[in-house]
């Protein structure tokens, strides 16, 4: 091949059919890592396969190849925050023998930049439902909010005093409400308003869990737990 022909190939676009998904890129991008499978493939070290349209064909996951190709273009791994297919992408990186990508997937970047950390709010709700002396069950609920975000605790104390049927206990990093007896509607209304208040401060729910405990024939206790998180910038001392 003449040098002029090689230069022409370097600048011409290359179209790949990866598992039915078409991608167009440059030859130089595909050869960014010469020791990779793609580097060897487009160096002519082994035969290539083409589809009926003449596109280079690779029988791999076409959706995940998007992240492989973007890594070849930028040498940086950029994934959506809610990306859940890391194990599958790692298999693709192993197949293509792209060592820097394999390294990135084995040592992922932190969720946030180094000057950002997560603020956490834990909300637990212990609901005791009693049927002893009433034809309709009554509920006594203890709600506990735990966080180091002092402004949030102060806001909750200020805005939710009206819900305090029995007592409100405030401690370091924690505020608790004992609420009831009440009916189900009142109890749910309090919990929904409290969760809405927390989320309006920029927090999102990270996870939830529920635990049921049957104590006696006429009593039932249910524990709910929510974890809320939001990013915040570190402040130098």
């Amino acid at each position: 091949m003449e040098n002029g022909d090689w230069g022409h190939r370097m600048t011409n676009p290359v179209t790949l059919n990866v598992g039915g998904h078409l991608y167009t890129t440059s030859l130089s991008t595909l050869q960014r890592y010469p020791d990779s499978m793609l580097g060897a493939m487009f160096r002519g070290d082994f035969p290539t396969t083409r589809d009926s349209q003449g596109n280079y064909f690779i029988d791999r996951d076409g959706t995940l190849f998007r992240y492989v190709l973007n890594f070849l273009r930028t040498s940086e791994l950029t994934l959506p925050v809610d990306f859940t297919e890391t194990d599958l992408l790692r298999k693709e990186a192993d197949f293509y023998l792209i060592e820097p990508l394999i390294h990135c997937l084995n040592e992922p970047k932190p969720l946030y930049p180094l000057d950002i950390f997560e603020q956490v709010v834990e909300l637990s709700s212990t609901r005791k439902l009693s049927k002893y002396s009433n034809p309709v069950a009554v509920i006594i609920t203890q709600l506990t909010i735990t966080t180091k975000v002092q402004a949030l605790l102060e806001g909750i104390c200020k805005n939710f005093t009206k819900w305090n049927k029995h007592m409100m206990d405030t401690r370091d990093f924690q505020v608790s409400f004992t609420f009831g007896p009440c009916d189900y509607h009142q109890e749910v209304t309090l919990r929904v308003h409290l969760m809405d208040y927390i989320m309006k401060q920029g927090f999102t729910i990270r996870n939830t869990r529920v635990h049921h405990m049957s104590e006696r024939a006429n009593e039932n206790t249910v524990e709910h737990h929510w974890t809320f998180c939001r990013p915040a910038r570190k402040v130098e001392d």
Side-chain angles (χ1 to χ4, degrees), residues 49-170:
T49 302
R50 293 178 182 259
D51 65 13
S52 60
Q53 304 300 314
N55 304 309
Y56 290 98
F57 177 74
I58 303 175
D59 188 16
R60 298 297 296 185
D61 190 314
T63 302
L64 291 178
F65 188 72
R66 168 191 177 190
Y67 305 108
V68 175
L69 184 56
N70 281 336
F71 184 83
L72 293 177
R73 288 167 171 156
T74 65
S75 294
E76 294 182 356
L77 178 60
T78 304
L79 300 174
V81 174
D82 58 351
F83 187 75
T84 60
E85 297 184 305
T86 302
D87 289 341
L88 290 175
L89 183 56
R90 189 177 289 112
K91 292 181 185 298
E92 296 304 297
D94 288 338
F95 172 80
Y96 293 111
L97 299 175
I98 304 174
E99 289 296 332
L101 178 56
I102 295 170
H103 178 75
C104 286
L105 288 165
N106 289 335
E107 297 185 8
K109 294 190 298 184
L111 183 61
Y112 300 112
L114 294 179
D115 62 341
I116 299 293
F117 70 104
E118 273 194 331
Q119 293 178 327
V120 177
V121 177
E122 303 285 349
L123 169 62
S124 61
S125 169
T126 302
R127 176 204 296 164
K128 181 172 289 188
L129 184 148
S130 175
K131 296 182 180 179
Y132 269 117
S133 57
N134 294 278
V136 178
V138 297
I139 300 171
I140 295 178
T141 292
Q142 181 175 6
L143 289 163
T144 302
I145 303 94
T146 304
T147 181
K148 292 186 178 181
V149 184
Q150 195 61 37
L152 180 66
L153 292 179
E154 293 172 355
I156 289 171
C157 290
K158 177 181 178 181
N159 289 280
F160 287 86
T161 304
K162 64 179 181 177
W163 296 103
N164 178 22
K165 290 291 185 69
H166 280 173
M167 65 178 187
M168 182 171 63
D169 179 24
T170 304

Side-chain angles (χ1 to χ4, degrees), residues 150-217:
Q150 195 61 37
L152 180 66
L153 292 179
E154 293 172 355
I156 289 171
C157 290
K158 177 181 178 181
N159 289 280
F160 287 86
T161 304
K162 64 179 181 177
W163 296 103
N164 178 22
K165 290 291 185 69
H166 280 173
M167 65 178 187
M168 182 171 63
D169 179 24
T170 304
R171 305 177 187 178
D172 288 342
F173 312 134
Q174 190 176 91
V175 57
S176 295
F177 300 89
T178 301
F179 181 77
C182 63
D183 61 27
Y184 179 77
H185 176 74
Q186 291 173 307
E187 192 265 349
V188 170
T189 298
L190 168 60
R191 188 149 40 87
V192 168
H193 276 71
L194 184 54
M195 294 175 68
D196 184 61
Y197 181 84
I198 293 171
M199 288 189 286
K200 283 182 176 177
Q201 312 311 307
F203 289 87
T204 57
I205 296 177
R206 171 67 54 81
N207 57 59
T208 64
R209 65 177 184 268
V210 183
H211 179 55
H212 295 266
M213 299 179 293
S214 296
E215 298 178 336
R216 302 172 186 166

